[in-house]
Amino acid sequence: MKKYIILIPVFNDWRSVFKLINNIDLQIHNETVDILIVNDASTENLDNNEKNFLKINSIKIINLIKNSGHRKAIATGLKYCQENLEYDYIIPMDGDGEDRPVELKEFFNKVEDTQPEVITAIRIKRSEGLLFKFFYSVHKIFTNLITGKLIKFGNYTCLSKSAVSKILSSGSVWLSFSGALAKIFPSYETIDSIRGIRYFGPSKMSILGLILHSLRISTVFRETIFIRVVIVILMFGLLAYYYSYYFLILSLGGWVFLFFIICLALDDDIKKLNNCLNNIKSLSDIYSR
């Protein structure tokens, strides 16, 4: 019997998180499942009502001192699990319902069948509006062109113990979870996934957030990006020399893009990742079966 930890980052969305956990409880059969919530310095208090579940083994909450953001909260949770908990697989999962609990069975079945190192949930359908879907398609095309990687998954994955160790050996996960995964693992098992609808409130992913997400993924592959962008800059330079100086504007845009990549690359820091547990204020055990 495999032991799973479902890792859920949360900031002020407790109502959604506990609806999610109730739905997770319905998907468990013979698996041992513990829930680890990373409380990213929420300003709203958690209610102290008694909680009862049929299958979930335990629920723990890591309370962070300072808000670190979604991706760093996940990295902190992975680091905590690696150093303090026993498990066979970790499943990072958004706490708002957009990662559908019904698909956990697909992860469980895939593990029983092949025991892969990594399983990713490939989005085959999304629930957002047409404008966001358009920009998301642009994001996938952009990252594919500039990095050579078609990344069709997010945080919703299933990671073996060995995979977690490999991920945490690189500072890239501090910058981008999906980017780090795509860089470290050239191949992985997949399941089909439909992006769910948030339980409560609007989606927190804005167009600007999507742009930053795309740039962070790209920055993980900055060595490849540097070569490709410099080649494009040189091409625009030649076009400017032979045809029109207006091509210098595009060439300048390439240098500005590289500047942003260099700035974002400061977050690819193994030292910050290794010290992330210093941001933990306390650990709360709120449920045990």
Side-chain angles (χ1 to χ4, degrees), residues 2-285:
K2 299 299 181 183
K3 183 172 184 178
Y4 296 85
I5 295 175
I6 296 182
L7 178 63
I8 307 171
V10 60
F11 177 73
N12 287 347
D13 204 3
W14 297 111
R15 188 181 174 196
S16 291
V17 166
F18 282 98
K19 180 172 181 178
L20 173 70
I21 293 173
N22 278 312
N23 289 335
I24 290 172
D25 195 49
L26 300 175
Q27 306 305 320
I28 300 169
H29 184 51
N30 293 320
E31 302 80 16
T32 300
V33 176
D34 295 301
I35 304 291
L36 181 65
I37 299 170
V38 182
N39 174 18
D40 196 14
S42 295
T43 55
E44 295 177 2
N45 293 325
L46 169 68
D47 71 74
N48 294 316
N49 295 334
E50 185 176 348
K51 297 166 179 63
N52 293 294
F53 303 97
L54 295 175
K55 297 293 183 66
I56 287 172
N57 189 54
S58 70
I59 302 175
K60 294 181 174 64
I61 301 178
I62 297 173
N63 299 295
L64 301 186
I65 300 170
K66 296 179 181 178
N67 180 271
S68 58
H70 199 74
R71 69 188 189 283
K72 293 180 181 179
I74 290 176
T76 301
L78 291 175
K79 187 72 172 176
Y80 181 86
C81 291
Q82 183 192 47
E83 296 194 5
N84 296 280
L85 302 177
E86 291 296 324
Y87 61 92
D88 295 302
Y89 284 85
I90 297 178
I91 300 176
M93 195 171 186
D94 288 349
D96 54 13
E98 292 183 344
D99 291 337
R100 302 194 309 154
V102 70
E103 293 164 356
L104 287 170
K105 290 181 179 179
E106 299 298 320
F107 282 135
F108 297 153
N109 291 338
K110 186 78 75 171
V111 167
E112 290 303 313
D113 290 342
T114 61
Q115 298 187 23
E117 196 168 26
V118 174
I119 311 170
T120 65
I122 302 297
R123 303 295 187 192
I124 61 171
K125 184 178 179 181
R126 303 190 67 89
S127 60
E128 299 92 347
L130 289 176
L131 181 62
F132 188 91
K133 288 179 181 178
F134 169 75
F135 278 105
Y136 191 82
S137 296
V138 171
H139 146 70
K140 287 195 298 182
I141 294 169
F142 171 78
T143 53
N144 189 18
L145 287 174
I146 204 162
T147 68
K149 298 282 187 178
L150 181 58
I151 300 173
K152 299 189 290 183
F153 61 89
N155 302 322
Y156 197 21
T157 55
C158 184
L159 311 172
S160 67
K161 199 165 189 176
S162 62
V164 172
S165 295
K166 290 178 183 178
I167 290 169
L168 293 176
S169 67
S170 166
S172 294
V173 73
W174 198 243
L175 173 64
S176 168
F177 177 84
S178 54
L181 209 63
K183 183 177 182 180
I184 295 168
F185 300 96
S187 62
Y188 37 78
E189 295 285 331
T190 66
I191 64 168
D192 289 339
S193 174
I194 297 173
R195 187 70 165 175
I197 299 173
R198 276 183 60 89
Y199 293 138
F200 305 102
S203 175
K204 295 181 179 179
M205 176 62 88
S206 63
I207 300 299
L208 177 60
L210 180 60
I211 292 170
L212 289 173
H213 172 65
S214 186
L215 289 174
R216 289 190 183 103
I217 291 175
S218 301
T219 303
V220 172
F221 302 90
R222 56 193 172 277
E223 297 88 356
T224 301
I225 286 177
F226 182 82
I227 294 170
R228 295 187 179 191
V229 173
V230 167
I231 290 173
V232 171
I233 289 172
L234 291 175
M235 289 174 59
F236 283 137
L238 289 173
L239 289 171
Y241 180 78
Y242 287 106
Y243 294 103
S244 170
Y245 288 119
Y246 287 114
F247 285 105
L248 288 177
I249 298 173
L250 298 175
S251 181
L252 177 62
W255 287 116
V256 171
F257 176 75
L258 286 180
F259 173 76
F260 279 116
I261 294 298
I262 291 170
C263 292
L264 289 172
L266 297 176
D267 255 348
D268 189 340
D269 191 330
I270 189 65
K271 185 176 180 180
K272 291 179 181 177
L273 175 62
N274 288 336
N275 292 331
C276 67
L277 299 187
N278 294 334
N279 192 34
I280 295 178
K281 176 172 61 176
S282 62
L283 176 68
S284 305
D285 289 291

